[in-house]
Amino acid sequence: MTSTPAPRTPVRMMLRGALVPGMISLLVFPTAFWSYAGEHAALSALAGAGTVFVVLLAGLLGITAVVLGPAATSMAGAGVVYLGQLILIVAVVLALRSVDWLDGRAFALAAIVQTLVMQVGQIAGYLRARHEIHPGALDGGAGS
C-alpha cells in the first residue's frame, strides 16, 4: 500500500526564518532599551517584542492549518488568521495600558521593529523554500 506524500509547503522554512531572528531580537531589544532608558523601557521593549513574537508565531501555525486544508477556503482562512492576530495584539495592548511600568514608546518601537525583523525572516524562509511550479517556464518554453 502506498501513501501520498504530504503537500510541500514553505511554512516550515518560514517558521524557522522568523523564529531565529525573533528570538535574537527578544534578547537584543530589552538590552538596548535598558542601556538607553532604564529598566522600565527594557520591560516595555520585552513586552512589545514578546507580544509580536507570540502573535506572529501563532499566525504562522494558523497558516499551516490553512495551507493543509482545502484550497477553496485558503483566502478566507488567511483572513481569519490575520484578524485573530489583530485581536490578540489589541487584547494585549488593552490589558497593558493601565500598568504603571509601561513605557509606550519603548513598547511600540520594539513591537514595530520585531514585526519587521520577523517578517523579513518569514520572507527569507519563504524564498528558501520555493519550489518550481512550472518546470521549464523560465527557459523560453523549451519543450513546447
Side-chain angles (χ1 to χ4, degrees), residues 132-142 144:
E132 196 170 7
I133 296 172
H134 298 289
L138 295 178
D139 61 1
S144 50

Side-chain angles (χ1 to χ4, degrees), residues 3-141:
S3 64
T4 58
R8 182 176 172 201
T9 68
V11 176
R12 186 176 62 84
M13 291 300 290
M14 290 171 63
L15 186 58
R16 183 184 304 163
L19 190 63
V20 173
M23 290 175 69
I24 292 169
S25 297
L26 281 175
L27 298 172
V28 170
F29 295 151
T31 304
F33 277 96
W34 180 58
S35 65
Y36 179 70
E39 77 178 51
H40 289 288
L43 285 173
S44 300
L46 181 62
T51 299
V52 168
F53 183 78
V54 169
V55 168
L56 288 182
L57 287 181
L60 273 173
L61 295 176
I63 286 296
T64 301
V66 168
V67 169
L68 294 176
T73 61
S74 63
M75 288 303 288
V80 168
V81 169
Y82 177 68
L83 286 175
Q85 288 177 309
L86 291 177
I87 290 168
L88 283 172
I89 289 173
V90 168
V92 169
V93 168
L94 289 176
L96 290 179
R97 70 180 176 166
S98 63
V99 297
D100 57 347
W101 55 263
L102 186 71
D103 180 348
R105 284 183 281 183
F107 180 93
L109 187 59
I112 290 168
V113 176
Q114 177 78 322
T115 300
L116 293 174
V117 165
M118 290 184 70
Q119 289 292 324
V120 168
Q122 284 181 27
I123 292 168
Y126 177 78
L127 291 174
R128 282 192 305 266
R130 298 278 317 249
H131 58 279
E132 196 170 7
I133 296 172
H134 298 289
L138 295 178
D139 61 1

